Amino acid sequence: ETPLNPEYTFANFIQGRSNQMAYASAFGASEQPGVLYNPLLIYGGVGLGKTHLMQAIANKMLERNPNARIKYVTSETFVNDYVNSIRRGSQEQFRNEYRNLDALLVDDIQFFASKDETQLEFFNTFNALHDNNKQIVLTADQNPKQIPNLTERLVSRFVWGVPVEITSPGTETRIAILQSKAEEEHMEVPNEVLELIASKVNTNVRELEGALMRVRVFADLNHQPMTPQIAAEALQGMGFADNTPALTIDLIQKEVAQFFNINQSDILGKKRSKNIVVPRQIAMFLSRELTDNSLPKIGSEFGGKDHTTVMHAIEKIEANLKTDEKLNRDLQQLRQRMQ
Ligand code: ADP
Ligand code: MG
């Protein structure tokens, strides 16, 4: 038997579009066990809150009635218990344990697949509980209809109550989950950092929470406050970096040179012919727009030019953009190439 985690409550479960139905059904089941949704089956990918909601039902029922007989197991535990009962000749005890309950919660029923005898036993367990209006809660990693090697009659029982799907949370929900987690942990985290983590980690809630903790540890180890820069570095270490390498002045020069069919050395040089000067100005303009470099820094990377030269180039491009259609198109294309 697996103990319940008292931290899995409805109160600390953040609701969003992706889990609203699951939350409402679970809450309803906890309020009126065996009446509203029986069985309640929640399905969806890993780390999206199925176990949390399932245990929230148990915790809520126990809060209301500390004597409620509730059993929470994973489907593997059910299989093991059943196999052991056969081995020890203690099937009667097994049945007592699994049928004299107010609620039975079985997590991750996909592991019943291909275990035919266990499926038959669970079918009987299910019926015994259901006949007595005892609450059954199940989770699965996908719609039970899609789980291979699950007997038809078991599937038909599972979908008696309407199965509810839980999907990946959207950005706003991810930010809300991070805010709530930070608060729980008494962490002071700037909103920009939470937004950065939410934007990069869009897989599931478990990874989202893990990322927040990693960012904190990383900042601590480096004796730094939690800034977006530190967070980005920490996430990079976790493999959550965006794969596009950071844009550098050098890369911009190369792209622009290639685009206009000239050499990068021309851009760095001092030639005054128009077919060189315009690309050079464009490269300076884009370096200012697409990187964080200062004007003096840009100047030095363009063959040691003065920052006033860079400023002049930027002003010239800005002025021409107002009338020059081709320049607008060229810049648009260049930006796209460098995204
Ligand atoms: P699953 O069982 O679907 O794989 P879990 O229930 O184990 O996922 O959730 C993974 C982690 O994410 C847990 O720590 C859980 O508390 C947390 N979590 C998931 N969804 C939410 C949510 N909506 N609000 C707060 N925490 C959540
Ligand atoms: Mg789970």
Side-chain angles (χ1 to χ4, degrees):
E1 175 147 12
T2 329
L4 291 169
N5 181 344
E7 310 223 315
Y8 288 161
T9 64
F10 287 114
N12 65 15
F13 190 87
I14 303 297
Q15 292 180 67
R17 288 172 69 90
S18 61
N19 58 37
Q20 233 152 30
M21 288 290 294
Y23 179 96
S25 311
F27 194 79
S30 77
E31 296 246 285
Q32 293 181 267
V35 179
L36 287 176
Y37 308 96
N38 205 18
L40 170 64
L41 189 149
I42 301 170
Y43 70 93
V46 69
L48 297 179
K50 301 182 298 294
T51 298
H52 185 134
L53 277 180
M54 178 178 241
Q55 295 202 15
I57 297 173
N59 286 325
K60 188 86 188 171
M61 285 178 70
L62 285 170
E63 185 186 306
R64 215 173 278 121
N65 173 13
N67 297 320
R69 294 163 307 170
I70 298 171
K71 199 172 176 71
Y72 166 82
V73 291
T74 64
S75 62
E76 286 128 315
T77 302
F78 187 93
V79 174
N80 290 338
D81 285 357
Y82 181 58
V83 171
N84 285 336
S85 79
I86 298 174
R87 184 159 54 83
R88 299 192 185 120
S90 58
Q91 272 164 292
E92 176 133 342
Q93 194 195 332
F94 173 87
R95 286 178 187 146
N96 275 335
E97 263 179 45
Y98 275 94
R99 296 183 192 186
N100 295 320
L101 294 172
D102 296 309
L104 174 61
L105 290 63
V106 184
D107 213 350
D108 290 320
I109 53 154
Q110 66 271 11
F111 296 115
F112 280 153
S114 304
K115 312 247 170 36
D116 294 346
E117 285 175 70
T118 302
Q119 286 186 38
L120 177 61
E121 184 60 31
F122 188 71
F123 182 75
N124 293 327
T125 305
F126 183 104
N127 291 336
L129 290 166
H130 199 272
D131 287 350
N132 289 302
N133 299 315
K134 302 305 185 189
Q135 180 67 48
I136 299 158
V137 185
L138 310 165
T139 70
D141 67 349
Q142 58 183 316
N143 191 320
K145 289 179 180 164
Q146 254 97 61
I147 300 174
N149 304 317
L150 214 51
T151 60
E152 193 46 51
R153 60 178 171 179
L154 209 49
V155 174
S156 75
R157 288 289 188 281
F158 289 168
V159 299
W160 262 354
V162 182
V164 282
E165 187 178 8
I166 197 164
T167 56
S168 297
T171 310
E172 290 84 348
T173 307
R174 293 203 297 278
I175 293 171
I177 289 172
L178 286 173
Q179 279 168 344
S180 143
K181 190 75 188 170
E183 209 167 290
E184 248 174 53
E185 302 283 328
H186 306 289
M187 293 160 66
E188 292 255 349
V189 192
N191 243 334
E192 303 141 88
V193 171
L194 297 180
E195 281 169 19
L196 180 88
I197 298 173
S199 76
K200 303 248 180 200
V201 184
N202 56 8
T203 43
N204 67 55
V205 180
R206 191 187 305 283
E207 291 206 317
L208 196 60
E209 293 182 347
L212 177 62
M213 295 308 156
R214 285 281 296 266
V215 168
R216 170 166 70 174
V217 170
F218 187 84
D220 281 353
L221 285 174
N222 289 284
H223 307 288
Q224 298 272 345
M226 279 210 240
T227 60
Q229 287 75 26
I230 283 288
E233 251 184 85
L235 291 175
Q236 203 150 23
M238 297 175 68
F240 283 115
D242 39 18
N243 345 340
T244 47
L247 210 49
T248 60
I249 295 173
D250 181 62
L251 273 170
I252 292 171
Q253 290 167 348
K254 288 191 165 78
E255 278 290 342
V256 173
Q258 193 182 26
F259 186 84
F260 289 106
N261 221 347
I262 58 175
N263 293 319
Q264 187 180 5
S265 58
D266 293 329
I267 286 185
L268 298 182
K270 292 194 161 61
K271 284 186 201 160
R272 300 293 314 156
S273 54
K274 191 164 186 243
N275 72 319
I276 304 289
V277 170
V278 174
R280 187 184 293 142
Q281 289 174 339
I282 287 177
M284 287 178 175
F285 177 85
L286 286 173
S287 295
R288 182 61 175 166
E289 181 184 277
L290 302 176
T291 76
D292 294 330
N293 292 288
S294 64
L295 295 180
K297 170 76 175 156
I298 295 172
S300 78
E301 294 229 3
F302 276 78
K305 295 188 176 64
D306 196 74
H307 74 103
T308 52
T309 309
V310 181
M311 208 152 66
H312 173 74
I314 293 169
E315 281 165 2
K316 184 89 182 149
I317 295 294
E318 274 169 355
N320 290 349
L321 275 172
K322 298 196 178 107
T323 52
D324 190 338
E325 291 279 337
K326 181 172 179 303
L327 180 62
N328 274 283
R329 275 199 309 276
D330 287 350
L331 270 176
Q332 221 29 55
Q333 278 187 42
L334 277 163
R335 286 192 190 100
Q336 263 167 25
R337 286 184 183 207
M338 289 185 269
Q339 280 309 300

